[in-house]
Amino acid sequence: MARVVAGIGTSHVPSIGAVVDKGEQDSPAWKPLFDAYEPVKSWLADEVKVDEVIVIYNDHACDFSFAKYPTFAVGMSAEYEIADEGFGVRPLPSIKGNLEFSAHICRHLVYEEEFDITICRDMKVEHGLLVPMNLCFSHGEDWPVRVIPVQVNVLQHPIPTALRCYKLGKALRRAVETYGHDLNVAVMGTGGMSHQLHGERFGHLNTEFDNWFLNKIEVDPQALCDMTHDEMMDQAGAEAVELIMWLTMRGAITDDAHRIHRNYYAPMTTGMGLITMQDTL
Ligand code: FE
């Protein structure tokens, strides 16, 4: 039987991708961030031995557009192309999927959980998914894990509530647990912590809020589920509402899962956070 073995919450700041592509991970500004992920990489590869990752991310009007923004979209393909976000296609291996596992998850969500997702047979993936992959996994000609992309609309309002995202995580866990193949699955929730990239509050950071969020996601996620979008945006900037996606990860792991890694780095315009949690199984 497949099982959820780990949860990861991480930021997906796009400039991280450019740093990777230029090989500047050891530059003074970025080394503290990349160093924090080195133990995560070895933990995922050697300890929890992850086979598949369900990545909860948002598309930033790249493969989707404001003309049509699905609330929840799940990839159901054997492969996902790297999208061109306006600077050319990044030199990364394409993301390999697992068609049979994806199809099971889609069926389970629709038939058993009443999550009427958008099913994507063709999906190009961008920094919301690729930056967390860069941070948590090394790759040669291919990535060491297969991926199921789950795209969440955090741009075109009305967007899903934090509680709805948490419930999606619980539904995803049940979907994993009803798949009859032996697989170790990690669930990754992505999105920036405090940041606002427009208007009078451009560059707004709230490091106190971000650290409070990291505390709560570990021990009291219900407090975060009770937050409204307005409260999140008011506290931490408009784009911080991406944090609702971390709650999908938290819903997918057990209440008593324990934290393994935690990091926070905020010298620029976005609070960059990391938490990993290991399930009790
Ligand atoms: Fe984002």
Side-chain angles (χ1 to χ4, degrees):
M1 190 182 85
R3 65 199 76 79
V4 175
V5 292
I8 306 152
T10 181
S11 304
H12 62 217
V13 178
S15 45
I16 294 170
V19 172
V20 171
D21 294 347
K22 292 178 194 163
E24 295 176 348
Q25 294 95 320
D26 286 333
S27 63
W30 289 103
K31 188 170 169 39
L33 178 89
F34 286 95
D35 281 356
Y37 285 84
E38 285 307 311
V40 175
K41 284 181 177 175
S42 53
W43 171 68
L44 289 170
D46 304 331
E47 287 190 49
V48 289
K49 300 185 190 310
V50 169
D51 301 302
E52 309 264 348
V53 190
I54 300 174
V55 182
I56 321 296
Y57 76 105
N58 72 290
D59 179 274
H60 301 71
C62 182
D63 195 37
F64 297 99
S65 80
F66 286 106
K68 299 179 184 67
Y69 241 110
T71 301
F72 297 117
V74 181
M76 195 169 80
S77 177
E79 188 166 8
Y80 304 95
E81 274 181 62
I82 310 298
D84 184 344
E85 299 184 67
F87 303 96
V89 176
R90 292 186 56 208
L92 297 174
S94 66
I95 298 292
K96 298 296 187 297
N98 179 338
L99 181 56
E100 188 188 331
F101 188 31
S102 274
H104 167 83
I105 285 176
C106 291
R107 279 195 299 272
H108 182 92
L109 289 177
V110 174
Y111 292 152
E112 309 297 334
E113 306 283 353
E114 298 183 341
F115 268 100
D116 300 320
I117 51 172
T118 298
I119 295 156
C120 300
R121 300 304 309 272
D122 177 28
M123 208 174 182
K124 292 186 177 67
V125 290
E126 46 91 275
H127 76 266
L129 183 143
L130 297 172
V131 162
M133 289 295 290
N134 275 141
L135 289 169
C136 295
F137 299 98
S138 300
H139 68 81
E141 289 190 0
D142 218 340
W143 296 95
V145 291
R146 293 186 290 188
V147 172
I148 297 183
V150 177
Q151 196 283 147
V152 178
N153 168 32
V154 298
L155 297 181
Q156 177 72 74
H157 288 252
I159 66 177
T161 63
L163 178 59
R164 186 68 172 152
C165 290
Y166 186 66
K167 288 179 175 176
L168 174 64
K170 293 199 172 295
L172 282 168
R173 182 184 183 90
R174 291 188 286 268
V176 169
E177 290 178 341
T178 51
Y179 188 59
H181 295 261
D182 188 28
L183 289 176
N184 289 339
V185 179
V187 179
M188 192 179 322
T190 77
M193 303 203 84
S194 63
H195 65 308
Q196 178 155 334
L197 303 178
H198 62 275
E200 291 180 3
R201 287 210 306 170
F202 177 89
H204 175 73
L205 271 181
N206 185 341
T207 57
E208 195 176 328
F209 172 88
D210 287 346
N211 280 289
W212 174 82
F213 186 97
L214 287 167
N215 292 338
K216 290 293 181 186
I217 195 111
E218 181 182 340
V219 298
D220 184 17
Q222 191 59 49
L224 303 177
C225 291
D226 293 341
M227 289 191 83
T228 66
H229 300 134
D230 283 357
E231 286 168 340
M232 278 192 192
M233 292 188 204
D234 186 45
Q235 288 271 339
E239 277 76 46
V241 82
E242 290 183 347
L243 284 168
I244 60 174
M245 294 181 287
W246 288 45
L247 284 159
T248 305
M249 172 280 288
R250 190 63 185 90
I253 56 176
T254 52
D255 290 345
D256 56 352
H258 56 285
R259 172 167 59 85
I260 306 295
H261 310 93
R262 173 173 166 163
N263 191 60
Y264 184 68
Y265 187 58
M268 306 172 199
T269 53
T270 304
M272 292 181 261
L274 162 70
I275 195 162
T276 73
M277 300 187 73
Q278 188 158 351
D279 227 313
T280 47
L281 288 177

